[in-house]
């Protein structure tokens, strides 16, 4: 459970909070195996016996004052009695995790249906209104998935087009049964999927049926245009309209699985492979909203294409949450698919949204294997509590808010990378009083379930049936943190974490973009940097008025007196140049923007920092690093004199050999050299599989690399005079600060 605060010394009161100009909050990665300092929790059992405050319901922790019969809550100050059981327990403090550490992970007793021995369930939904290339890629991805699935898993294969296909692979030959989808947008299936094929026939054990599942995958063929046109009844001069009935297929699969929630499975994951927009039957999306007509209507495309056009998929996400199904969407397409409407299905059910623009260099198989190989928790409940002086403001991330309790979030599926963010507000004008010893406290409680694979018995002897049985473990992870209260603005600035600041900024900007359009998101970010710069100059008494006037020469726009703030102007500049916030007319595809919103809002701060402002390093040879960091400019390439440059942009890793590099240097870098080992290490640590690109300057097209060199004053070939280099950007910020301070 990694927690990173935007500043480790909190503002003392609301005036200080406003004066510092920084977002006040934390980022949280609840299922990370260690904390932000790489320390693991202290594990224990009997989490249900942990004492709780009668007033605020916080859990007993190391910061609480304990007497013989009672304890004082560190968050609200309430005196609570101890039960005789707790008194006996705390007479042996060395055996109590909650006394040994402020970061604990305790086992809880299972309740009701949790006591069953479930099997993990995985269902693939494959789009047949597609191409041969799409199906070949999907087959490769599912074969990779089968290798990653643990023993005892159940797997179901379904297809969709103008009909839903269910596969029974448990016999000698795979059998597929189809049910047709009504073309009208409010039609229902003629029969339930359970009547088409019993669920126990559909869900096959991976252990014994892996080869048969692979054989069934080989039978997948795209539906012909004749089939789809005939079914849709919409053929017009040979143009196919319709045939991808994804909405009703997903609804039917959720109902199909839902009947066995709590019996056959405790969590099911559905992988939806899409080659284009749902355009047939219930849940179909009108893709005509993406086109030239927006220009003629005078509408802002950056605003019009971000909201969902139908609540269908958001409603479907609520159904998925109720039946314990996590949905991952894999869209392999370069046509407009309206991910703005589809995204809720994945992000609210705890799943992921992946977008690949083509089949040629797609990392889909690697992403599937990586996603299924790492541990995950499910049926999670997350709750943050604060001491009495402050409270939670906004919560950000891919969760489902509890309909009844405030500040309680439900996460259907959570892996070790999933990150959430929160900002804080003061409860009153007093803030953290300087006259008491009370310090700001934060407690995070994360309750979750994990599927524990069968204990490995000795390798010798026959395989017993007991080994096939998975067991569930319900656990409670608690982290209690104490922060300082700053006595001055400078104390706040000295403890800033710029990466955590960036995380909360990105969440706020995404929210503003969704509500008011991309232009508004850009304005919010720009104005924030102007105000922060003005507040800093004022707090540090940098501004000297000459002859009663204020000029840009007086403004310290680079935060020279505060190293912690110095990365922020570059990060803001890079964020404004990122596809997340660039305009539609610059060629940013709306689906790609939505994909970035979903990706960025789930990344932990260091990864997000890398995705927004890539790291450029240089090497004199593949085995010798020259410089650990360069600015993202052509000037840096020329002045460094290095032969090889390595750019880490999180989703892409690019190796660039300069045109002046010694021809004798091996290209691409050989295995087991320092550069290649660095690349392999980064690939292993990533939540997604980065694309690896090797470019030889002067011979290969270097556009992919040059696009990341964003700090140039003269950005060539864009055709947009409004695009500024970093130096010009700082000049413009200085001018705006002068206007603001006047």
């Amino acid at each position: 459970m990694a927690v990173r605060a935007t500043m480790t010394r909190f503002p003392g009161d609301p005036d200080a909070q406003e004066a510092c100009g920084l977002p006040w909050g934390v980022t949280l990665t609840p299922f990370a195996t260690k904390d932000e300092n790489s320390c693991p929790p202290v594990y224990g059992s009997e989490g249900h016996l942990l004492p709780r405050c009668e007033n605020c319901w916080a859990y007993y922790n190391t910061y609480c004052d304990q007497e013989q019969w009672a304890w004082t809550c560190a968050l609200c100050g309430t005196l609570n009695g101890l039960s005789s059981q707790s008194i006996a327990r705390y007479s042996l403090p060395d055996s109590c995790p909650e006394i040994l550490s402020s970061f604990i992970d305790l086992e809880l007793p299972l309740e009701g249906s949790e006591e069953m021995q479930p099997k993990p369930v995985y269902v693939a939904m494959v789009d047949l209104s597609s191409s041969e290339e799409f199906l070949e890629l999907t087959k490769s991805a599912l074969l990779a998935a089968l290798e990653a699935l643990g023993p005892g898993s159940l797997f179901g294969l379904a297809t969709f087009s103008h009909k839903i296909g269910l596969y029974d692979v448990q016999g000698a030959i795979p059998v597929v049964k189809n049910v047709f989808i009504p073309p009208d947008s409010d039609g229902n299936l003629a029969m339930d999927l359970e009547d088409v094929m019993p669920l126990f026939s559909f869900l096959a054990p991976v252990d014994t049926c892996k080869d048969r599942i692979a054989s069934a995958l080989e039978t997948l063929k795209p539906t012909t245009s004749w089939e789809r046109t005939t079914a849709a009844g919409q053929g017009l001069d040979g143009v196919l309209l319709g045939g991808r009935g994804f909405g009703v297929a997903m609804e039917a699969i959720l109902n199909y699985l839902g009947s066995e929630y709590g019996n056959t499975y405790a969590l099911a994951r559905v992988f939806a492979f899409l080659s284009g927009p749902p355009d047939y039957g219930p849940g179909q999306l009108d893709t005509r909203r993406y086109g030239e007509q927006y220009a003629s209507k005078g509408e802002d495309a950056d605003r019009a294409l971000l909201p969902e056009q139908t609540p269908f998929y958001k409603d479907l996400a609520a159904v998925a949450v109720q039946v314990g199904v996590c949905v991952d969407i894999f869209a392999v397409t370069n046509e407009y698919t309206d991910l703005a409407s589809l995204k809720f299905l994945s992000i609210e059910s705890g799943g992921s949204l992946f977008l690949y623009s083509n089949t040629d260099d797609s990392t889909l198989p690697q992403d599937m294997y990586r996603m299924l190989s790492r541990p995950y928790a499910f049926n999670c409940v997350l709750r943050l509590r604060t001491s009495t002086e402050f409270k939670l403001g906004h919560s950000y991330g891919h969760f489902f808010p509890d309909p009844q309790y405030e500040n309680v979030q439900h996460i259907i599926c959570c892996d070790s990378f999933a990150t959430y963010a929160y900002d804080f507000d003061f409860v009153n004008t007093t803030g953290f009083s300087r006259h008491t010893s009370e310090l700001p406290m934060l407690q995070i409680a994360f309750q979750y379930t994990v599927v524990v694979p069968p204990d490995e018995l000795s390798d010798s002897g026959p395989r017993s049936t007991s080994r096939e049985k998975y067991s569930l473990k319900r656990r409670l992870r608690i982290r209690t943190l104490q922060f300082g209260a700053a006595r001055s603005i400078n104390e706040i600035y000295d403890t800033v974490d710029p990466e955590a600041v960036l995380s909360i900024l990105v969440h706020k900007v995404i929210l503003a973009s969704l509500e008011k359009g991309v232009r508004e998101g850009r304005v919010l970010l720009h104005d924030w940097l102007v105000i922060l710069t003005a507040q800093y100059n004022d707090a540090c008494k940098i501004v000297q008025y000459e002859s009663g006037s204020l000029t840009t020469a007086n403004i310290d726009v680079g935060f020279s007196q505060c190293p912690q703030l110095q990365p922020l102007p570059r990060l803001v500049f890079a964020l404004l140049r990122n596809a997340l916030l660039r305009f539609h007319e610059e060629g940013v595809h709306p689906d790609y923007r939505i994909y970035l919103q979903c990706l960025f809002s789930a990344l932990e701060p260091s990864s997000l920092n890398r995705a927004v402002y890539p790291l450029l390093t240089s090497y004199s040879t593949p085995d010798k690093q020259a410089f650990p960091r360069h600015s993202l400019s052509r000037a840096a390439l020329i002045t460094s004199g290095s032969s090889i440059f390595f750019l880490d942009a999180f989703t892409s890793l690019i190796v660039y050999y300069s045109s002046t590099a010694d021809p004798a240097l091996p290209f691409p870098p050989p295995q087991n050299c320092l550069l290649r080992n660095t690349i392999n290490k980064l690939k292993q640590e990533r939540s997604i599989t980065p694309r690896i690109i090797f470019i030889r300057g002067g011979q290969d097209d270097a556009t992919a690399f040059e696009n990341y060199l964003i700090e140039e004053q003269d950005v060539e070939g864009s055709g947009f005079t409004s695009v500024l280099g970093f130096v010009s950007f700082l000049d413009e910020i200085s001018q705006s600060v002068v206007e603001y301070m006047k």
Side-chain angles (χ1 to χ4, degrees), residues 602-648:
L603 289 179
E604 55 84 31
S606 298
S607 298
L608 179 61
N609 184 71
R610 192 61 65 244
V612 169
Y613 192 90
L615 176 65
L616 180 63
T617 53
S618 62
Y619 289 74
S620 48
T621 72
D623 257 319
K624 186 179 179 185
Q625 190 183 73
F627 295 99
R629 182 181 291 271
H630 297 278
S631 62
L632 298 176
S633 65
R634 288 184 180 86
L637 269 61
I638 296 164
T639 56
S640 75
S642 299
S643 302
I644 303 169
F645 294 88
F646 174 54
L647 186 127
D648 175 6

Side-chain angles (χ1 to χ4, degrees), residues 62-63 184 206 289 312 331 386 404 445 474 535 563 565 609 707 715-716:
T62 53
Y63 295 102
D184 44 316
V206 172
R289 71 175 186 159
F312 184 90
T386 62
Q404 186 177 358
R474 188 73 176 162
Q535 307 285 55
L565 297 179
N609 184 71
N707 283 345
V715 180
E716 298 168 12

Side-chain angles (χ1 to χ4, degrees), residues 65 85 181 204 239 527:
D65 292 328
Q85 193 175 16
I181 297 171
V239 176
D527 289 356

Side-chain angles (χ1 to χ4, degrees), residues 28 303 378 406 621 714 735:
L28 166 63
R303 188 172 180 180
F378 59 95
E406 199 178 9
T621 72
D714 176 27
Q735 192 63 50

Side-chain angles (χ1 to χ4, degrees), residues 7 11-24 424-426 489 492-493 528 531-532 534-536 538-539 740:
M7 65 276 283
D13 55 40
D15 291 339
Q17 182 192 355
E18 187 158 338
C20 75
L22 289 160
W24 174 30
F424 302 132
D425 289 319
F426 280 101
I489 302 297
I492 296 175
Y493 288 157
W528 173 80
I531 293 167
L532 172 67
Q535 307 285 55
Y536 157 80
D538 192 43
Y740 177 80

Side-chain angles (χ1 to χ4, degrees), residues 187-384:
N188 294 314
L189 294 179
M191 58 196 302
D192 292 338
L193 297 189
E194 182 64 37
D195 297 329
V196 178
M197 181 181 291
L199 191 61
F200 65 83
S201 299
F202 174 68
L203 296 175
V206 172
D207 294 353
T208 54
C209 297
K210 189 182 286 187
D211 292 343
R212 292 173 195 164
I213 295 168
S215 300
L217 291 174
E218 287 306 315
T219 66
L220 298 182
K221 296 282 184 287
T223 51
T224 64
S225 56
W226 178 85
E227 275 186 276
R228 283 183 277 167
T229 310
T230 306
Q234 294 173 323
L236 186 66
D237 298 329
V239 176
L240 171 65
L241 300 172
R244 190 177 291 109
F246 174 67
V248 75
M250 177 58 73
E251 187 174 35
I253 289 288
L254 291 178
N255 292 333
Y256 190 29
L257 293 172
S259 62
E260 282 299 307
Y261 179 44
N263 295 322
T264 302
Y265 71 92
L267 170 81
R269 294 188 77 158
V270 172
F271 312 128
F273 298 92
L274 273 167
S275 67
D279 55 8
Y280 182 81
Q284 61 185 273
L285 299 171
D286 181 5
T287 55
R288 289 174 301 179
R289 71 175 186 159
Y290 177 62
E292 295 301 321
Q293 67 269 31
Y294 276 95
S296 60
K297 287 181 181 178
E299 291 189 53
D300 177 2
D302 296 304
R303 188 172 180 180
L305 296 170
L306 286 173
E308 72 272 25
Q309 58 172 290
T310 168
F312 184 90
Y313 292 97
K314 198 167 190 173
D315 295 343
L316 217 47
V319 175
V321 169
Q322 285 168 0
V323 296
V325 174
C326 162
V327 181
D328 299 292
I329 295 177
F330 303 90
V332 187
T333 175
N334 59 1
E335 66 174 306
Y336 178 60
T337 303
D338 192 16
L339 294 183
S341 297
L342 291 168
K343 67 177 181 183
F344 296 102
L345 194 51
S346 60
I347 63 175
E348 292 198 354
S349 69
S352 301
L353 175 67
F354 293 86
L355 176 65
Y356 309 92
S357 58
N358 60 63
T359 54
D360 297 336
D361 56 3
S362 167
T363 55
L364 173 56
Q366 297 94 318
D367 283 335
M368 281 292 289
Y369 185 83
R370 187 173 298 239
M371 182 178 78
L372 294 173
S373 298
R374 55 180 176 251
Y376 57 85
F378 59 95
N379 292 349
C380 314
V381 183
L382 184 60
R383 174 74 197 258
L384 270 71

